[in-house]
Amino acid sequence: MAFKIRSESALKLAGLPLWSIAIGADPAKGEKRGHARGVVALGDMATGVFAAGGLARGVVAFGGLAIGLASFGGLGIGVVLALGGAAAGGVAIGGGAAGVYAMGGGAVGTHVLSATQCDAEALDFFSRTFEWWQQLDVVAQNCVS
């Protein structure tokens, strides 16, 4: 018997369950993986306002592959913000990052902070936006325009 969890709230918001969990295969239904759909979704695949899963799609998404307005994952693709090992978005932070404002070991974009680039506007943006991130002070000190 395969391990599986399927559960969702009876309360619905805009036709979606308030929360949904779908983990594991369900051979009886022909499902190879769980797909949670809800305002808050957790599953092998998750789609919702807040989504977490191997493949997560949502306004805010957390996952191995995360796609959303704000995404956090191994591969994060975010319209506004993306954080991940690889990240692509308006603002992208990751080992490899691509965005209008991009920061990472290997970063490409309009305004870049990387191992080889130090754009003054990028440094100003990241320093103001993430002022709590103390390591940016070290980057600023070592930055050569």
Side-chain angles (χ1 to χ4, degrees), residues 34-66:
H35 189 168
R37 294 172 184 89
V39 175
V40 176
L42 172 63
D44 300 323
M45 296 187 303
T47 303
V49 177
F50 297 97
L55 167 60
R57 299 173 294 195
V59 175
V60 178
F62 298 87
L65 169 56

Side-chain angles (χ1 to χ4, degrees), residues 97-102 107-112 117 119:
V100 176
Y101 289 94
V108 296
T110 307
H111 304 288
V112 174
Q117 286 184 275
D119 178 86

Side-chain angles (χ1 to χ4, degrees), residues 8-64:
E8 65 181 38
S9 73
L11 181 60
K12 300 212 183 262
L13 188 63
L16 290 173
L18 184 59
W19 56 267
S20 175
I21 301 171
I23 299 171
D26 188 347
K29 291 185 178 179
E31 296 176 352
K32 293 182 180 182
R33 60 194 59 82
H35 189 168
R37 294 172 184 89
V39 175
V40 176
L42 172 63
D44 300 323
M45 296 187 303
T47 303
V49 177
F50 297 97
L55 167 60
R57 299 173 294 195
V59 175
V60 178
F62 298 87

Side-chain angles (χ1 to χ4, degrees), residues 106-125:
V108 296
T110 307
H111 304 288
V112 174
L113 280 180
S114 73
T116 59
Q117 286 184 275
C118 184
D119 178 86
E121 189 171 330
L123 181 59
D124 181 58
F125 171 81

